Amino acid sequence: MSERPLIASRTAVFSESVIREMTRLSLRHKAINLAQGFPDFSAPEFIKRAAVEAIEADVNQYAITWGDPRLRTAIAAKVKRHYGLDIDPELEVTVTCGATEAMMATMLAFVQPGDEVIVFEPFYENYVPDAAMSGATLKFVTLRGPNFVFDPEELRTAFGPRTKAIIVNSPNNPSGKVFDREELSQIAALCQEFDCLCLTDEIYEHIIFDEHKHLPMATLPGMYDRTITISGLSKTFSVTGWRLGYVVGPPGLSQAVRKVHDFLTVGAPAPLQQAAAVALEEGDGYYPQLRSMYQRKRDRLLTALRESGFICNEPEGAYYVMADFSALPFEGDDTDFALNLIERVGIAPVPGSSFYHDAHAGSQFVRFTFSKSDETLDEAAFRLKSL
Ligand code: GLN
């Protein structure tokens, strides 16, 4: 063998997904998987039927690369109904293989070596490899305290001449934070001052609790032209395995994302795009049920965690809770705690450090998802009592 390294150096700065590793460990130990955020219950009947019908109607070949026209029209119509934005499905909507591909294609389209990208932490783990593969350097701004707030001065300091973009994930995975108008306005003002893009991950837009409201960055004054909005069907319609995401942005920016998407994946699954169109066309009656279902699940899991000695904030949206285990009688870090919980209690969480660049910052947390059936959550509550 030659001395030449076989593996590209861009892969050296990230490891395999900790979230998916926890799923594998959970399966091995027959634990309850509260690690990876996907439902263990059925998708809504009307969207499953639409998928079956599309396959029976022989929708088996590539859809148009940017997405099936009916689906792009349904996305534009939904964005108009919910957020009041007028967007052209021909030029401003791109369907991707999940929000994961959407973010990767977006980063590859706009970010290059030497650029800086700001991300709030705790962050969703994908942004680290996304940045590494596009050559960007990440700058972290920490959300602190029980309500996960940022310090406006710290945010300002993160911006500079090399800043190309900031990633805003709201409702936020893993903290459950929902960014309010004032916070988004502060971010928007800095994007305009430093002439950079805002890349938003709004995959949990319909999973939001109490009085909280989802406010897309693209609706703020002056922001549409510099915002790439990412969302998808996975979480809203409980179809994480269908791999259906989308990107909304002004024509010039969308064109760049489309070019990358074209050569990354060609397109998302064609029959499932038909079903997704039906879901979005008929979904408005479904969203309120989804919210109340998840609010009940949140409360169920929070009660069980608090009764077992965890300290938890109350998530405002998304379907995760960061649980502080420092009050429990346990010696060890978050990874030790997670492994112990899988092996001894039969519940899999995600170690908190996987959401922070400085592992120490997350070492008293583990993340649990409540995207599970009531039976699963009740069984988890029962097992937690043994702590
Ligand atoms: N978004 C989900 C989570 O945070 C699933 C991650 C994944 O495996 N793509 O758990």
Side-chain angles (χ1 to χ4, degrees):
M1 278 306 261
S2 78
E3 294 293 299
R4 202 158 55 143
L6 293 177
I7 312 293
S9 58
R10 73 172 72 87
T11 65
V13 294
F14 58 92
S15 48
E16 283 172 35
S17 157
V18 178
I19 298 175
R20 293 186 279 282
E21 184 189 341
M22 289 299 131
T23 286
R24 291 191 290 272
L25 280 176
S26 180
L27 285 168
R28 190 178 318 146
H29 292 277
K30 297 193 169 47
I32 298 174
N33 185 358
L34 301 188
Q36 197 175 9
F38 65 88
D40 67 347
F41 47 86
S42 301
E45 214 39 58
F46 76 102
I47 117 157
K48 291 199 296 189
R49 210 167 41 245
V52 170
E53 280 167 14
I55 289 174
E56 283 181 343
D58 267 326
V59 183
N60 297 318
Q61 312 311 326
Y62 303 119
I64 288 177
T65 301
W66 333 128
D68 177 77
R70 180 174 166 196
L71 174 55
R72 278 184 284 127
T73 302
I75 292 167
K78 195 207 87 156
V79 170
K80 170 78 178 161
R81 280 197 312 279
H82 286 250
Y83 308 123
L85 286 174
D86 277 302
I87 55 171
D88 180 352
E90 280 304 314
L91 299 173
E92 295 175 278
V93 180
T94 306
V95 177
T96 57
C97 295
T100 298
E101 192 223 335
M103 186 58 84
M104 188 74 255
T106 296
M107 297 277 269
L108 289 172
F110 301 115
V111 173
Q112 56 196 12
D115 288 344
E116 290 176 358
V117 174
I118 300 171
V119 68
F120 293 101
E121 67 174 358
F123 51 77
Y124 176 47
E125 61 173 13
N126 279 36
Y127 308 144
V128 173
D130 289 347
M133 286 193 264
S134 54
T137 305
L138 285 176
K139 301 273 275 184
F140 300 94
V141 175
T142 306
L143 302 168
R144 291 177 210 280
N147 295 323
F148 293 96
V149 289
F150 62 82
D151 171 357
E153 270 318 301
E154 196 182 330
L155 180 64
R156 162 167 284 281
T157 311
F159 279 82
R162 295 182 156 200
T163 308
K164 186 66 189 284
I166 180 167
I167 299 175
V168 179
N169 168 216
S170 180
N172 184 261
N173 173 10
S175 70
K177 175 188 177 66
V178 173
F179 286 69
D180 65 20
R181 183 178 291 277
E182 195 189 323
E183 292 169 316
L184 292 174
S185 300
Q186 288 169 356
I187 299 166
L190 288 165
C191 287
Q192 293 176 41
E193 184 181 332
F194 286 87
D195 191 21
C196 63
L197 298 171
C198 186
L199 316 179
T200 73
D201 177 348
E202 304 181 20
I203 190 76
Y204 301 97
E205 62 184 311
H206 293 292
I207 302 177
I208 198 153
F209 311 121
D210 305 310
E211 76 289 1
H212 298 284
K213 284 201 166 56
H214 176 61
L215 183 63
M217 179 61 97
T219 63
L220 267 72
M223 286 307 287
Y224 185 74
D225 286 341
R226 57 174 73 249
T227 301
I228 287 287
T229 304
I230 293 171
S231 192
L233 282 281
S234 298
K235 312 294 184 178
T236 304
F237 292 98
S238 304
V239 288
T240 61
W242 286 19
R243 310 313 298 132
L244 290 173
Y246 57 84
V247 178
V248 172
L253 301 184
S254 283
Q255 174 64 20
V257 175
R258 284 179 171 195
K259 278 206 286 194
V260 177
H261 160 74
D262 194 2
F263 291 100
L264 267 184
T265 62
V266 180
L272 304 182
Q273 290 195 49
Q274 300 277 317
V278 172
L280 294 181
E281 287 161 2
E282 298 176 12
D284 281 2
Y286 161 83
Y287 303 129
Q289 296 168 36
L290 179 82
R291 281 175 76 137
S292 49
M293 172 186 81
Y294 272 122
Q295 182 146 343
R296 284 196 307 273
K297 292 186 187 301
R298 175 196 69 173
D299 294 345
R300 226 180 182 102
L301 182 64
L302 270 189
T303 305
L305 289 172
R306 286 175 175 157
E307 281 174 0
S308 312
F310 289 92
I311 303 160
C312 308
N313 70 311
E314 190 157 271
E316 300 165 346
Y319 52 43
Y320 309 96
V321 56
M322 284 289 260
D324 178 339
F325 60 86
S326 56
L328 286 164
F330 181 81
E331 294 292 323
D333 67 10
D334 56 316
T335 304
D336 300 329
F337 185 85
L339 296 179
N340 196 62
L341 204 67
I342 295 174
E343 287 166 17
R344 301 257 168 86
V345 182
I347 298 177
V350 180
S353 56
S354 46
F355 306 101
Y356 288 88
H357 78 289
D358 168 11
H360 185 70
S363 63
Q364 86 271 29
F365 290 112
V366 284
R367 188 198 75 171
F368 295 93
T369 178
F370 45 89
S371 59
K372 302 296 164 186
S373 70
D374 291 348
E375 294 70 38
T376 305
L377 293 174
D378 285 347
E379 176 59 27
F382 177 74
R383 293 188 189 186
L384 280 171
K385 287 196 170 70
S386 72
L387 273 177

